[in-house]
Amino acid sequence: MLYELIAVVRPGSLPEIKDIAKTAGMLVLQSGGVVRGFSNWGPFLLPRKTRIHQATHTKGHYFVMRFDSSGSAQSRLRSTLALDPRMVRFSVVKMGEKLEEVVGVSGRVRWKREEGESFAFYGTGSGFGGVGGVG
């Protein structure tokens, strides 16, 4: 089954963010799954203040990982991320179950922006530079 993980990590050091992305990818691979790709969306202001792990967050670093795995592997990934104090939020969405539904889905997730639309950026996003072979 094809899943998409959208993760928000507390902003700060890029090595910390890379470590979480690498851990997520390794969990999928160790359970016999396949990582289709990572996309680094970079830092953004959160839509609202979020309190988790005894800290309040207003900013977060977003990344997306698309992967194929079993339901149990996806569940294990969710459990691991929920316990990580560096995580602000995450969501795992099932994108398809049958091959016909997911055959044309790439591993890269593009952030589309309509003309005239503005975003609440802070700082500049940089790539993961080698995490999971994506540069």
Side-chain angles (χ1 to χ4, degrees):
M1 288 183 257
L2 175 62
Y3 294 99
E4 182 174 84
L5 165 70
I6 302 170
V8 182
V9 182
R10 71 179 180 201
S13 69
L14 194 57
E16 220 175 55
I17 297 160
K18 287 181 182 180
D19 184 51
I20 292 173
K22 184 177 180 180
T23 299
M26 291 303 295
L27 283 168
V28 171
L29 295 175
Q30 289 170 353
S31 64
V34 175
V35 175
R36 288 193 183 202
F38 287 93
S39 295
N40 179 14
W41 285 358
F44 288 91
L45 292 173
L46 298 175
R48 63 179 181 275
K49 287 183 185 179
T50 302
R51 184 162 172 80
I52 188 165
H53 300 296
Q54 299 178 350
T56 302
H57 301 279
T58 57
K59 301 172 185 172
H61 193 107
Y62 288 70
F63 75 88
V64 178
M65 177 179 77
R66 283 196 176 154
F67 61 98
D68 294 283
S69 74
S70 65
S72 62
Q74 179 263 143
S75 179
R76 191 169 28 258
L77 174 65
R78 292 174 61 88
S79 299
T80 302
L81 292 178
L83 294 174
D84 194 323
R86 301 171 294 181
M87 292 297 303
V88 175
R89 290 186 72 101
F90 67 90
S91 179
V92 179
V93 179
K94 183 171 153 185
M95 297 184 67
E97 198 164 333
K98 297 179 182 176
L99 181 60
E100 299 83 30
E101 298 171 349
V102 300
V103 72
V105 179
S106 73
R108 189 116 175 119
V109 180
R110 303 256 182 235
W111 181 271
K112 293 184 181 178
R113 187 172 115 160
E114 299 297 324
E115 191 173 322
E117 185 178 6
S118 64
F119 291 107
F121 287 106
Y122 78 96
T124 58
S126 59
F128 283 124
V131 174
V134 175

